[in-house]
Amino acid sequence: MTAAERLIARDDAVIAGVEKLRFFPLAVQSGMGATLLEPGGRELIDLSASWTASGFGHGNAAIADAIARAAIDAPGSSILSASHPAAVTLAEELLALVPSDLPARGRRVYLGHAGTDANDVAIRGCRQATGRPGILAFQNGYHGGLGTAQRVSGVHVSAGVPADPAVTFLPYPDPYRPHTGDPATVVEDVLRLAGAELAQAATAAVIVEPVQSDGGVIVPPQGFLAGLRELCDRHGAYLIIDEVKVGLGRTGRVHGFEHDEVIPDIVTLGKALGGGLPLSATIGPAAVLDAPVASALMTTTGNPISCAAALAVLEIVRAGAATANASERGAQLRGLLVEYADSGRPGAARIGDVRGRGLSIGLELVIDRVSAEPDPVLTAKAVYRAWQLGVVAYPVRGNVIELTPPLTISAEAVEQAASTLMAALDDAARGVVSDEEIAPFQGW
Ligand SMILES: Cc1ncc(COP(=O)(O)O)c(C=O)c1O
């Protein structure tokens, strides 16, 4: 048994199965930047960044330093019953970072632990503030793994989680797989459905991802978010934009919604915000977030160590280099994959689509390009083989490999990761990985 195998055996004996989304037997001892180290010392390039939570790289020195300093003289662990500077400063800085039509004094920041509670609070607050129950969300969307946030997540509901009683799911505008079959009209087709729903005046809020990540890394065509903005204004519903996965620079802009030049009512952040620690934020109108029912009472809310990490993260975001790198490295990685898709190599014909924004990239694998039939088995084998060859990347929606490396990744690492990924795709298409090897890892 290798050191990694020994750790996985211990993990299997004690960690609850429901918390596992495993695609290959990966165990990690440590990380640095975009590199992960297995217990035996093997290095891998990380194209996931822990599902974007390690967005600014593993062991980021500035963030680690802020955490260490905060831990030494932490003013308690909570902001529930005593104010402390880190949480207040973080809230002030988030209000400055997130654009709004409201003055700062008309807005509030909820600080939570995960994207899930940030979205839960947003939704409950909108319901309370409007007196309306309805939530408009999107098929295959992901907003959380518990409570209301989970019950308005199309991904979970289609997997059997009971839907929230007042949620309506609409198709997300997918230019590769348009719900009506016509990519040219996909935005107006979805907006027409949204308009009809909102016209009934029972909708408290529309919740939407600027790139539908776990739903297959779908980049909506221009005008989608702007159209939702206009409909929300017309019908008195709040627009919640869920930036948990791609916010803080990943798309090549600080906020994913900037690509459509909209100003949301409420923005939720998580994952990368905590610099590796659990932290989330909901930024929105006081009328929504001060409503008592909207508060999620959790003791370590506003935890000063997490807030200190986030202050270091925001400093990195404001400096701009990580966002610019997301744009440049994203273009590099997509360019290499598009070149591969046209190369005639063994795996190339199985690439149906390469898409993305900045360092949020999706590689959709199909049986063949004509039928465009999804190929989740090939996808599972490709990510398994990539791990064997030294790259970590996970599938979403079955047949899409999601590539979300730390925003700090270097051009050399992108080059090396892309060439490893292509070799893995070739091997998977040639049948190098057996069904038995991937059988224990059908997690998602
Ligand atoms: C867009 C989006 N929102 C919310 C969440 C939930 O975040 P968390 O898992 O931190 O609760 C996720 C998680 O993948 C996500 O991708």
Side-chain angles (χ1 to χ4, degrees):
M1 242 192 195
T2 64
E5 284 165 350
R6 274 198 300 279
L7 184 59
I8 289 168
R10 285 171 55 206
D11 174 311
D12 284 342
V14 294
I15 306 281
V18 289
E19 300 299 337
K20 296 179 189 175
L21 268 185
R22 304 275 166 84
F23 305 95
F24 31 79
L26 173 66
V28 183
Q29 187 75 38
S30 62
M32 192 172 49
T35 303
L36 295 173
L37 213 66
E38 286 183 332
R42 187 171 80 110
E43 283 189 5
L44 301 108
I45 301 177
D46 184 8
L47 296 185
S48 159
S50 301
W51 296 99
T52 79
S54 298
F56 300 96
H58 304 292
N60 182 297
I63 299 171
D65 185 51
I67 291 170
R69 279 187 284 116
I72 286 168
D73 63 352
S77 309
S78 164
I79 197 167
L80 280 190
S81 304
S83 188
H84 64 80
V88 176
T89 307
L90 176 60
E92 289 166 351
E93 292 193 6
L94 286 170
L95 288 172
L97 189 77
V98 174
S100 172
D101 292 329
L102 294 174
R105 67 178 185 285
R107 290 191 295 156
R108 295 288 182 272
V109 177
Y110 159 84
L111 295 172
H113 293 166
T116 298
D117 62 295
N119 284 322
D120 217 277
V121 160
I123 290 167
R124 282 189 282 139
C126 290
R127 284 177 160 163
Q128 165 95 353
T130 59
R132 298 173 174 184
I135 298 297
L136 204 156
F138 292 87
Q139 291 160 12
N140 295 315
Y142 194 113
H143 303 294
L146 285 172
T148 306
Q150 185 179 42
R151 287 164 184 260
V152 302
S153 293
V155 159
H156 288 303
V157 169
S158 61
V161 169
D164 181 275
V167 68
T168 300
F169 291 111
L170 297 183
Y172 194 86
D174 180 348
Y176 183 63
R177 297 185 185 282
H179 66 287
T180 59
D182 185 354
T185 61
V186 73
V187 166
E188 60 187 84
D189 292 340
V190 172
L191 290 177
R192 195 174 318 109
L193 297 173
E197 183 64 29
L198 287 162
Q200 294 175 36
T203 302
V206 176
I207 183 162
V208 64
E209 296 166 72
V211 173
Q212 198 183 55
S213 301
D214 291 330
V217 194
I218 298 164
V219 181
Q222 211 68 32
F224 171 55
L225 296 180
L228 288 179
R229 174 71 279 174
E230 199 267 316
L231 288 171
C232 285
D233 286 343
R234 196 182 322 154
H235 298 293
Y238 286 109
L239 179 61
I240 306 169
I241 299 208
D242 178 347
E243 295 271 345
V244 168
K245 187 133 191 190
V246 302
L248 303 177
R250 180 161 293 283
T251 64
R253 304 268 180 91
V254 172
H255 307 291
F257 57 77
E258 287 176 53
H259 293 274
D260 225 5
E261 293 175 10
V262 298
I263 297 193
D265 297 302
I266 297 159
V267 173
T268 55
L269 293 168
K271 296 200 192 251
L273 176 65
L277 294 186
L279 183 72
S280 64
T282 311
I283 301 106
V288 171
L289 295 179
D290 275 344
V293 80
S295 67
L297 204 59
M298 297 187 293
T299 309
T300 45
T301 295
N303 177 276
I305 304 170
S306 302
C307 290
L311 288 169
V313 163
L314 294 190
E315 209 170 309
I316 295 170
V317 171
R318 284 191 302 265
T323 306
N325 197 53
S327 232
E328 287 159 22
R329 299 287 73 77
Q332 179 194 359
L333 184 51
R334 272 177 73 194
L336 290 167
L337 295 170
V338 166
E339 222 172 84
Y340 169 75
D342 293 336
S343 68
R345 283 172 53 174
R350 312 296 289 279
I351 296 184
D353 195 26
V354 180
R355 54 181 176 256
R357 212 166 235 172
L359 280 175
S360 172
I361 294 175
L363 195 59
E364 176 145 4
L365 302 189
V366 293
I367 304 280
D368 61 75
R369 284 196 194 149
V370 177
S371 74
E373 197 184 318
D375 196 337
V377 175
L378 178 70
T379 311
K381 290 181 175 178
V383 297
Y384 187 95
R385 185 67 182 147
W387 162 74
Q388 286 183 320
L389 298 179
V391 158
V392 173
Y394 303 127
V396 290
R397 213 186 65 192
N399 73 315
V400 179
I401 302 178
E402 183 182 52
L403 307 173
T404 54
L407 306 189
T408 50
I409 194 168
S410 68
E412 297 70 36
V414 165
E415 183 85 35
Q416 193 186 330
S419 104
T420 303
L421 196 58
M422 293 168 200
L425 284 160
D426 285 345
D427 284 353
R430 277 198 297 246
V432 166
V433 181
S434 69
D435 292 346
E436 291 69 40
E437 278 173 291
I438 59 159
F441 302 108
Q442 305 289 330
W444 183 227

